[in-house]
Structure formats: structure tokens, C-alpha cells
Amino acid sequence: MLENKNDQRTPISDLGEFGLIDHLTKGISTIHSDTIKGIGDDAAVLKMNKNEVQVVTTDLLLEGVHFDLAYMPLKHLGYKAVVVNLSDVCAMNAQPKQITVSIAVSNRFTVEAIEELYEGIKLACQKYQVDLVGGDTTSSTTGLVISITALGTCLSGDVIYRSGAKVNDLLVISGDIGAAYLGLQVLEREKQVFAVNPKAQPDLEPYHYLVERQLKPEARTDIIKLLADLKVKPTAMIDISDGLSSEILHLSKASKVGCSIYEDKLPLDPQVITTCEELNLDSTTIALSGGEDYELLFTIDQKDFDTIKGNPNLTIIGHICAPEGGINLITRAQSQIPIIARGWNPLKNETHD
Amino acid sequence: MLENKNDQRTPISDLGEFGLIDHLTKGISTIHSDTIKGIGDDAAVLKMNKNEVQVVTTDLLLEGVHFDLAYMPLKHLGYKAVVVNLSDVCAMNAQPKQITVSIAVSNRFTVEAIEELYEGIKLACQKYQVDLVGGDTTSSTTGLVISITALGTCLSGDVIYRSGAKVNDLLVISGDIGAAYLGLQVLEREKQVFAVNPKAQPDLEPYHYLVERQLKPEARTDIIKLLADLKVKPTAMIDISDGLSSEILHLSKASKVGCSIYEDKLPLDPQVITTCEELNLDSTTIALSGGEDYELLFTIDQKDFDTIKGNPNLTIIGHICAPEGGINLITRAQSQIPIIARGWNPLKNETHD
């Protein structure tokens, strides 16, 4: 009925998620003086008052793309949907305060199923002391859609961007990495087993930590508090939900620097190591590209080294260098390999180079 | 694989959209002192600083539920998706300042198609002087999903809730109503004609206003400015996107009042009247239940009558009465008919009683 004026037909997969965002938001500028930071970080930053800024972030989760209800209980899904947004608030060094929750549901969901989802949402709100202040509820012709916006605040001088890393800063990561991805692999395997034999009783105990990291991740508000207590203000910060390799590239690009990450410093849980062996996967690759670990990656000035070193929640994994140095992994054998983004790309539906 | 612990299976259609929201958000309270108003109005209200509050609202739009790309050009869709959120900001008497935009797209969309969508989004941002500050871009296994969150500000004393209407206040509506719904009917009819004969050239000229109201609605920021200029502060306000009958019930319920609306006062465009005749529809029913007119419904104290009357942008359609009086339409024949919500309900997929 309407004429198609587009002669050009470029598949979205040509650009991928970040390419598409860059392409669409190219040249967008802001006009309000209280818009301090627009597109390009974990969250936007708005001026609230003389002393405080507000951060705003939003995430869209679709059934069949971001989650599979075959092994993701609705209550966990609700909890996780909140957490992934709070993690972005943390990555700005802010305290989460409010969320809005929009959902679209098809008629295959019952009221009781949506209650389960909301139980998880409310549980996360309670745990993280966040107010659920609004949203939208509508129908979907197919699967479940969840869109959450999270708001938080921090003192004006405390907000941390991706762009502040300086040459010789140290690269620090909270917690450990790779577990959430392996948790997903284990659950996917059980789903296949179940498809063949619905009476099979899965023994997930050896993978308990991995499965928990996948199904019930936490946002590192505790790390924000720890850093404040230690009086360490990172120079740059990002959450590593899309995988360490992808996020280190974002941070380095935004800060216009290079960096070296040491393979032997990557923090891995013992279950990650044993499960990688079992599944014949390279644990370094998993740690670099796994994704869905809602940990924080940040840079600190060398003067803070003594305060950070030895803290069981934090691991120094490398350092920032000049941009000419590139972004490299220093292997156990002391060889230097350029890091490329291999995180999961929902717009290419495959890992990407 | 996972045991279903839900024995009860209540279809969502039993509750409908507003019933489900009420059910899920029952008992939700807020803990942060800067959360002034949570769920239950057109937008949440947060404290920004000593003088100002921030309003936050979000809407989720799904292909096949909220729009049909057969007659909705992507550029118009982008524009409209922004406008529907800004309308909710207006309904709080606030000025829109920022939006975030999340989209999920399937691989049947090209980069050029998404560019079109963003052209419309950017156009709306430009027209309404709103900053696009963030969002999320991901893939969809089926149709297009758009989730927008809008933020705005107003002076602390100027924010208007649904709950402030008082007995004897006058009911006022901006613009005219019923046109957007008829625009949709006309477009649906053309779609059917096109399905039968793809060479048919639609003559939409007689329905120009109706189609424009459907495809390119505007948010009434001008009315917010007009009221400020006239120094009239409404006692209660709501946007009537879900249809006048549904919204008057929301306003009356929140304000714990009744009201009378006069059939002969309902502001109708001549095209609405002629098209209702042509399609054999009752224009009062369309005006009451049509929906998608992004106009404002508000109440004013009687002392403001002289300031409002005769303004071409505003129509006094009735007045507020005691709750015992009920919520009624006074027909041209002077009979009194209780108003029931017949707005479109996306969770029942039909008009509802």
C-alpha cells in the first residue's frame, strides 16, 4: 500500500548491535543544559541539583533472544531483568533508586505466571532498595517482552565514565568471570537431554555456582560501596555484561588508550576451570568472551595499588598503555595477542569478530 | 524441565490491562524520600531539587498489537512513539526534556528501514526540544518492538495528578476527539481494498485530518504553555490516549468524585461527523471510546471559567459532582447514561465493558 522508497537494502547483521547504535546515533547532540551525558556510556547522566546527578539506563529483553523459559524460571527472570539494569547504574558509580517495568505478554501466560515474574522483580527491588515507580503492561502476539528503565543518583563529582582511563592506570575487575556463560551451556545441555528423555533427572550440583551465576546474577552495589569505603575513585568504569573482550574495547575506545591484560591474572572460579575441561573449552576464551557476568571492570591510578591489592573482591588484571600499544592479551607463554570483541551479538545471532 | 508449581491458571484476559496492573502492583510501596509518586498516574514523580520535580513515564509498542506497518510508515511510527510518551509528560503539567529509545528488530528490517524509524524519532525530538540520551538495540525473532521512556521536569508546586478534582470543578478537554480512531478505520478499510486489488489508488483526501491524527499525533505541550500563560492551574489532569470514557473513569476514581459529561459539548471535527455518517457509526460512541487522541482532559476550579471559556483550543464538556452522583453522560435528549470504559484493551484484544 505504501511505496517503498528505500532502494538500498543493507542487512542489519552487516553492522551488528554496536555498529547499528553508532550508525543511528551518529551526530545526535543534546540541547538541555541538564543533560550532562547522552548516548555512549552504561547510562545517561542528568543534572539533578547542585550536588547530585541522576543516571538513567534501559534494557530490553525478549523471549527467544535473551532468555529461554525452558530453564529460566519466571521468578528468576524477573529478578535478573532488574539486576542487569542496576548493574549499569553501578557502572556509573551511582546508587540505584527507582525502576520502571514494562511487559508485553501473550495469552499463553496466565495471571499466576506473571505473578511469579513480578515476585522476582519485587524481590530484586527489596534486596537493592529500589522503588518500582511505573511501567506499562500490554499484550504480545508471540513471546514475553520485558523493558526496564533504572534510575540512580550519585554526587556530581563521583560519577565515572568509560572515558577516563589514563596511561599507566591499573585494570581491575570485580568477582570472577566466565561462570554465567558456562551456566548457560550446562542448562542448554540439560534441555537437550530433557528433549530426548523427559524423565531424566538433571544433576546440576557440580555446576551449582555456574547455574546460579546464569539464573540469579547480582549487581555489584557492594563494590560501589567498597570503593567508597576504601576512598578509591576509579578513573573509568564499565559493566562487563557483554563479555570482557567486548567491554575492554569499549572502555579503551572511549578513553582513547590501549591496554594489556594478563591471561594468568584472569579471575576464574574452580567450577569454571573444571567445567571448561569437561566441555573441552578454553577457559581464557570463556573468560574473555562469555558475557553475562554482571561484574565491574574499572581503572585506577597506580597510587591506589596498595589499597586495592589483596582485596578478595578485586583482581588487578592488567594496565592501560598508550593507544599505539593496542589492546592485547599477554598469554601465559608471554606472547601478545590482540583482543577482538567476541561477545555475543544479538543482532548477528552469533559470536562476532 | 522445570516443574510447574502453578496449579491455578487464570487467563490474563480475565483481568484486562488495568486489572492486571492493579493486581500486580497491589501493595507496592516506595522507600526513597525522593520518590514522590510511584505507580498510578500518567507518570512517576521524583524530587529533583528544592524547586523542581522530575516526571518519568514509559510505553511499550509492539508490531501487530499497537501498529501495522502496512499503513504506518516507519518515520511516522518513530515520531508517534515519541509523542505518546511526551503526552504523558504533558499530563503531569511538565515539560519533556529527555527520552531513551529501545528497539528490537527482526532480520526482515534493513538498516535503511531502521534509519527511517530514527528519522521520525529525531524529528519528534527536534520539534519538542527533547534530548535522546540512551537506549538499547537488540534483535527480535518476530516483529518490531519499541520501548521509550520519557523524562520531564516542572516546578514542584506545578505538578498535577489525576487525584485533585473537586466537586463543582469544570471538566475541560483540549482539541477535538474521535478523529484518530476513525483515521485507523479508514486506513484499515484501504488495507482491505489493497489486499483485493493491489492497483487501487486510495483517495484519502476526504479523510485527511483523520489519517493525520492517526499517523502523526502531537503532544499538547502548547496547552501546558497556554495554561501557564493564562495562569490557570488545573486541579487534575490525564491524557486521553485510551479513550475519554476510560480516562474519565481513571480521573474520577483517583479523585474519588463523580461527574457529568454533556453529549452536546463533545468537540468533534466536521470530518469526524461526516465519516461517522458514512461508516454508520455513532459519533458520540467514537468520541467517548475511540482513543489515540493525545489530548488532555483536566478539571479547573469554577473561578477559572471566564479565563477558559471561548478559548478555541479548550472545551468545557461537563463538571465534577459528588461520588454518589456517578459518572454519567447527559445526552442531547437530557437523559442520563452511566459511562463505562469501552476503550481499547490490548490484553483482551477487543473493546471491553
Side-chain angles (χ1 to χ4, degrees):
Chain A
M1 176 168 170
L2 287 159
E3 195 190 346
N4 186 352
K5 284 168 287 182
N6 291 321
D7 295 315
Q8 250 186 295
R9 305 194 143 269
T10 313
I12 286 173
S13 55
D14 278 11
L15 293 177
E17 179 181 358
F18 298 115
L20 183 62
I21 292 174
D22 285 348
H23 180 71
L24 293 173
T25 59
K26 202 168 49 191
I28 285 183
S29 57
T30 60
I31 50 168
H32 288 289
S33 60
D34 50 4
T35 304
I36 299 174
K37 173 79 185 174
I39 291 160
D41 215 299
D42 290 273
V45 180
L46 311 180
K47 185 175 163 63
M48 273 198 97
N49 53 50
K50 219 175 64 184
N51 302 318
E52 281 175 302
V53 295
Q54 180 187 50
V55 303
V56 184
T57 180
T58 189
D59 257 317
L60 189 56
L61 302 176
L62 279 82
E63 184 178 351
V65 179
H66 300 94
F67 55 88
D68 184 336
L69 292 174
Y71 47 73
M72 176 58 103
L74 280 160
K75 190 171 171 179
H76 282 77
L77 177 62
Y79 190 89
K80 183 169 174 174
V82 176
V83 164
V84 303
N85 279 282
L86 302 187
S87 182
D88 283 320
V89 172
C90 289
M92 307 304 291
N93 204 30
Q95 188 201 348
K97 291 260 185 85
Q98 292 95 6
I99 57 165
T100 64
V101 176
S102 297
I103 56 168
V105 286
S106 69
N107 55 16
R108 81 182 155 86
F109 291 91
T110 60
V111 170
E112 290 74 20
I114 304 303
E115 278 172 354
E116 282 280 307
L117 180 76
Y118 262 72
E119 278 309 305
I121 290 169
K122 288 178 193 173
L123 197 64
C125 284
Q126 201 171 12
K127 157 132 193 185
Y128 290 99
Q129 295 285 290
V130 164
D131 291 338
L132 174 53
V133 297
D136 191 14
T137 307
T138 189
S139 64
S140 157
T141 50
T142 52
L144 177 63
V145 178
I146 307 173
S147 176
I148 293 185
T149 296
L151 305 160
T153 59
C154 77
L155 293 176
S156 310
D158 287 353
V159 64
I160 300 174
Y161 297 99
R162 297 176 177 180
S163 56
K166 299 274 176 301
V167 174
N168 293 328
D169 281 355
L170 300 174
L171 262 170
V172 187
I173 207 167
S174 67
D176 57 75
I177 51 178
Y181 176 82
L182 289 178
L184 183 64
Q185 300 313 307
V186 168
L187 288 166
E188 286 277 0
R189 186 176 63 173
E190 292 303 325
K191 185 184 169 185
Q192 304 305 330
V193 171
F194 183 78
V196 175
N197 175 12
K199 286 191 176 159
Q201 286 294 322
D203 178 17
L204 294 176
E205 193 44 43
Y207 315 105
H208 177 82
Y209 180 69
L210 310 180
V211 169
E212 178 160 304
R213 291 282 281 184
Q214 172 58 225
L215 295 186
K216 192 167 176 289
E218 302 291 351
R220 300 308 303 258
T221 47
D222 59 326
I223 297 294
I224 300 306
K225 189 173 177 309
L226 173 69
L227 290 169
D229 289 347
L230 294 174
K231 296 195 191 344
V232 170
K233 187 187 164 189
T235 50
M237 190 148 63
I238 192 169
D239 99 321
I240 55 162
S241 54
D242 287 329
L244 176 58
S245 59
S246 168
E247 310 291 9
I248 189 70
L249 291 176
H250 286 308
L251 188 145
S252 300
K253 188 181 167 195
S255 294
K256 300 188 178 69
V257 294
C259 71
S260 293
I261 292 180
Y262 293 86
E263 186 181 16
D264 61 355
K265 304 287 187 194
L266 295 175
L268 305 178
D269 184 86
Q271 276 186 19
V272 167
I273 297 167
T274 54
T275 308
C276 276
E277 281 166 6
E278 182 191 334
L279 301 180
N280 206 16
L281 293 168
D282 175 51
S283 63
T284 301
T285 305
I286 301 304
L288 283 173
S289 312
E292 289 217 81
D293 298 304
Y294 293 90
E295 299 294 344
L296 298 170
L297 172 71
F298 57 92
T299 51
I300 56 166
D301 191 285
Q302 292 220 5
K303 75 174 163 49
D304 292 318
F305 173 72
D306 285 333
T307 318
I308 292 290
K309 72 163 186 200
N311 190 304
N313 294 292
L314 303 173
T315 308
I316 298 167
I317 60 165
H319 61 265
I320 298 295
C321 61
E324 308 83 72
I327 296 157
N328 298 296
L329 179 76
I330 313 298
T331 66
R332 287 191 187 84
Q334 299 301 317
S335 64
Q336 180 174 305
I337 301 172
I339 292 174
I340 49 175
R342 282 192 176 276
W344 180 65
N345 188 330
L347 285 173
K348 292 194 174 177
N349 242 337
E350 56 184 20
T351 55
H352 59 97
D353 301 308
Chain B
M1 176 171 171
L2 288 159
E3 196 189 346
N4 186 352
K5 283 168 288 181
N6 292 320
D7 296 315
Q8 249 184 297
R9 304 194 144 271
T10 313
I12 286 172
S13 55
D14 277 12
L15 294 177
E17 178 181 359
F18 299 114
L20 182 62
I21 292 174
D22 285 348
H23 181 71
L24 295 173
T25 59
K26 201 167 51 190
I28 285 183
S29 57
T30 60
I31 50 169
H32 288 289
S33 60
D34 50 5
T35 303
I36 299 173
K37 173 80 185 174
I39 292 161
D41 216 300
D42 290 272
V45 180
L46 312 180
K47 186 177 162 63
M48 274 199 97
N49 53 49
K50 220 175 63 183
N51 302 317
E52 281 176 302
V53 295
Q54 180 187 50
V55 302
V56 184
T57 181
T58 190
D59 257 317
L60 189 56
L61 302 176
L62 280 83
E63 185 179 351
V65 178
H66 299 93
F67 54 89
D68 184 335
L69 293 174
Y71 46 74
M72 176 58 104
L74 281 161
K75 189 171 173 181
H76 282 77
L77 177 62
Y79 190 88
K80 183 170 175 174
V82 176
V83 164
V84 303
N85 279 281
L86 302 187
S87 182
D88 283 320
V89 173
C90 289
M92 306 304 290
N93 204 30
Q95 188 201 347
K97 291 258 185 86
Q98 292 96 6
I99 57 166
T100 65
V101 176
S102 296
I103 56 168
V105 285
S106 69
N107 55 16
R108 79 180 157 87
F109 291 90
T110 60
V111 171
E112 289 74 20
I114 303 303
E115 278 172 355
E116 283 279 306
L117 181 75
Y118 263 72
E119 277 308 305
I121 290 170
K122 289 178 192 172
L123 196 64
C125 284
Q126 202 171 11
K127 156 129 194 185
Y128 290 99
Q129 295 284 290
V130 164
D131 291 338
L132 174 53
V133 297
D136 191 14
T137 306
T138 189
S139 64
S140 156
T141 50
T142 51
L144 176 64
V145 178
I146 306 173
S147 176
I148 293 186
T149 296
L151 306 159
T153 60
C154 77
L155 292 176
S156 310
D158 286 353
V159 64
I160 300 174
Y161 298 99
R162 297 176 177 180
S163 56
K166 300 275 176 297
V167 174
N168 294 327
D169 281 355
L170 301 174
L171 262 170
V172 186
I173 207 166
S174 67
D176 56 76
I177 51 179
Y181 176 82
L182 289 178
L184 182 63
Q185 300 313 307
V186 167
L187 288 166
E188 286 278 1
R189 186 177 63 174
E190 291 305 324
K191 184 184 170 186
Q192 303 306 328
V193 170
F194 183 77
V196 175
N197 175 13
K199 287 193 175 156
Q201 286 294 320
D203 177 17
L204 294 176
E205 192 45 41
Y207 315 106
H208 177 83
Y209 180 69
L210 311 180
V211 169
E212 178 160 305
R213 292 282 281 183
Q214 172 58 226
L215 296 186
K216 192 166 176 289
E218 302 291 350
R220 300 307 304 259
T221 47
D222 59 326
I223 298 294
I224 299 306
K225 188 172 177 309
L226 172 69
L227 291 169
D229 289 347
L230 293 174
K231 296 194 187 351
V232 170
K233 187 187 165 190
T235 50
M237 189 147 64
I238 192 169
D239 99 320
I240 55 163
S241 53
D242 288 330
L244 177 58
S245 60
S246 168
E247 310 291 8
I248 189 69
L249 291 175
H250 286 309
L251 188 145
S252 300
K253 188 180 166 193
S255 294
K256 301 189 178 70
V257 293
C259 72
S260 294
I261 292 179
Y262 293 85
E263 186 182 17
D264 61 356
K265 304 288 187 193
L266 295 175
L268 306 177
D269 185 85
Q271 277 187 18
V272 166
I273 297 167
T274 54
T275 308
C276 276
E277 281 166 6
E278 182 192 334
L279 302 178
N280 206 17
L281 293 167
D282 175 51
S283 63
T284 300
T285 306
I286 300 306
L288 283 173
S289 313
E292 289 217 82
D293 298 305
Y294 294 90
E295 299 294 344
L296 298 170
L297 172 71
F298 56 93
T299 52
I300 57 165
D301 191 284
Q302 291 221 4
K303 75 174 163 50
D304 292 318
F305 173 73
D306 285 332
T307 317
I308 292 291
K309 74 165 185 199
N311 190 303
N313 293 293
L314 303 173
T315 309
I316 298 167
I317 61 165
H319 61 267
I320 299 295
C321 61
E324 308 83 73
I327 295 157
N328 298 296
L329 179 75
I330 313 298
T331 66
R332 286 190 187 84
Q334 299 302 315
S335 64
Q336 179 173 306
I337 301 172
I339 292 174
I340 50 176
R342 283 193 175 273
W344 179 66
N345 188 329
L347 285 172
K348 293 193 173 177
N349 241 338
E350 55 185 21
T351 56
H352 59 98
D353 300 311

